[in-house]
Amino acid sequence: MLHLRLLVPADRTDEVTDLLERTVGTAHLAVLPGVARDPVGDIVLCDVAREAGDELIAELRRLGLDDFGAITVENMDLTLSARADRAEEAAPGEGSDAVLWEELVEATHDDSTFSATYVAFLAVATMLAACGVMLDNAILIVGAMAVGPEFGPLAGISTALVQRAPRLVGRSLIALIGGFAAAMLLTVGFAWLMDAFGLFDMSMIEGKRPNTAFVWQPDWMSFVVAFLAGIAGTLSLTSAKSGALIGVAISVTTVPAAANAAVAFSYRDYGQMTGSVQQLLANLGGIVLAGTLTLLVQKALWRTTRRHQRAHQRARTKPSAPTR
């Protein structure tokens, strides 16, 4: 279930409550008149089944509530209520399959911000990966992949393409390209510093690295893994499965490839640098393609499910013909 807290001007409260009452899947409607101070008005509280949430939020926005009032949505982990159970049963579709597009856009918008913190995380992850590739240490590689925050902008691009939001595409591309450029540049400086202290040397980048050589040797399997990871990552975002997202982070070699490219550049090994960049681009492209296709399929399946269930509900409620 979702919990809605709405700030509504007093002259629009009846309009909003009428919408909530006639929406299938709502429960626990409460109105607190005159409580709101900024903006002045009423507070309307309501619970709604997740599968009915996206459409209800869209209707509230069509009323202009996000302009003249406020819409706050919270996920409820536990609701013990017979009314809530009936609301979930009445709402078409399954809550686990429902996508809250407003929530997804907001989440990817926040994760696609080119900020000092974002660059710091990506740079630290790339430097950790640089240590991993130079030491041929798979554990460091896995740790670096878990630290990297690059899935946010990738998901932002997929979401923006499906929702036709060009501003979010631009924001995500700036975070993705700018973030990797800054992280790789800082990692080049890091590699030079480590070389000056005698911790890195040419033999480490040129030697055999059975555990980490894959980061600069792209093949079709790299794209397949990235594609599958993109599907899993997108599903984890739309269903709020953070554990799955962590698994995605440690399955795709975006950060290690960027790190190897930076270190190879610092030692003028342009062959490895080129292979690493190709690996990076293949992984980024596979994730974006998979994320976009996954969201399109989810959108189409959800519309089909809702249409069929609504038709079924209308058939059940249709009065039978009188008998003679």
Side-chain angles (χ1 to χ4, degrees):
M1 294 289 287
L2 302 173
H3 179 66
L4 272 62
R5 185 177 73 249
L6 312 175
L7 272 64
V8 188
D11 60 337
R12 304 294 298 271
T13 300
D14 289 342
E15 183 180 11
V16 171
T17 55
D18 287 344
L19 171 62
L20 297 176
E21 287 175 339
R22 68 173 182 267
T23 298
V24 176
T26 58
H28 311 144
L29 176 62
V31 179
L32 307 178
V35 174
R37 290 291 178 266
D38 183 22
V40 175
D42 305 332
I43 293 181
V44 179
L45 306 175
C46 180
D47 296 338
V48 60
R50 182 180 176 86
E51 51 269 41
D54 188 67
E55 188 172 352
L56 176 58
I57 294 170
E59 289 293 335
L60 290 170
R61 295 197 66 183
R62 274 192 281 271
L63 291 178
L65 185 56
D66 54 325
D67 293 324
F68 58 74
I71 304 170
T72 303
V73 183
E74 298 174 310
N75 284 294
M76 301 172 62
D77 295 328
L78 177 63
T79 304
L80 302 177
S81 166
R83 287 182 178 273
D85 293 341
R86 289 195 294 269
E88 289 185 321
E89 291 175 1
E94 294 294 332
S96 58
D97 295 333
V99 178
L100 294 178
W101 291 101
E102 294 291 344
E103 180 185 52
L104 182 61
V105 169
E106 185 67 23
T108 52
H109 181 277
D110 292 342
D111 292 340
S112 302
T113 301
F114 185 75
S115 64
T117 301
Y118 169 80
V119 173
F121 267 113
L122 191 55
V124 169
T126 308
M127 292 177 193
L128 281 172
C131 294
V133 296
M134 293 298 276
L135 297 173
D136 195 32
N137 189 316
I139 295 177
L140 287 176
I141 292 292
V142 172
M145 288 191 286
V147 172
E150 73 280 3
F151 191 82
L154 294 171
I157 294 172
S158 298
T159 302
L161 291 174
V162 173
Q163 292 296 92
R164 300 178 183 178
R167 291 183 63 183
L168 181 56
V169 172
R171 183 187 185 93
S172 301
L173 284 174
I174 289 173
L176 186 67
I177 297 172
F180 268 111
M184 292 171 73
L185 183 61
L186 290 170
T187 303
V188 170
F190 173 73
W192 286 337
L193 182 64
M194 295 290 281
D195 184 83
F197 281 102
L199 298 175
F200 283 2
D201 60 57
M202 187 72 170
S203 63
M204 298 172 74
I205 191 72
E206 296 293 343
K208 292 183 178 180
R209 291 180 286 152
N211 294 321
T212 59
F214 66 92
V215 301
W216 63 275
Q217 297 173 347
D219 53 24
W220 278 107
M221 186 57 68
S222 301
F223 181 83
V224 170
V225 171
F227 189 86
L228 295 175
I231 295 174
T234 303
L235 291 174
S236 72
L237 284 179
T238 57
S239 61
K241 299 293 186 183
S242 59
L245 190 57
I246 294 172
V248 169
I250 62 176
S251 64
V252 185
T253 56
T254 49
V255 167
N260 201 79
V263 174
F265 175 81
S266 70
Y267 285 103
R268 299 183 181 180
D269 187 336
Y270 300 121
Q272 274 202 47
M273 184 193 74
T274 301
S276 300
V277 171
Q278 291 174 347
Q279 177 79 279
L280 175 62
L281 294 177
N283 281 277
L284 296 178
I287 291 173
V288 170
L289 177 61
T292 303
L293 292 177
T294 300
L295 290 175
L296 287 172
V297 170
Q298 284 184 289
K299 200 170 191 177
L301 288 176
W302 184 245
R303 285 178 175 175
T304 302
T305 299
R306 289 181 66 87
R307 188 162 52 247
H308 287 170
Q309 293 208 5
R310 282 174 175 169
H312 180 65
Q313 286 180 345
R314 285 196 297 268
R316 290 178 59 186
T317 58
K318 184 178 180 181
S320 57
T323 57
R324 295 184 179 180

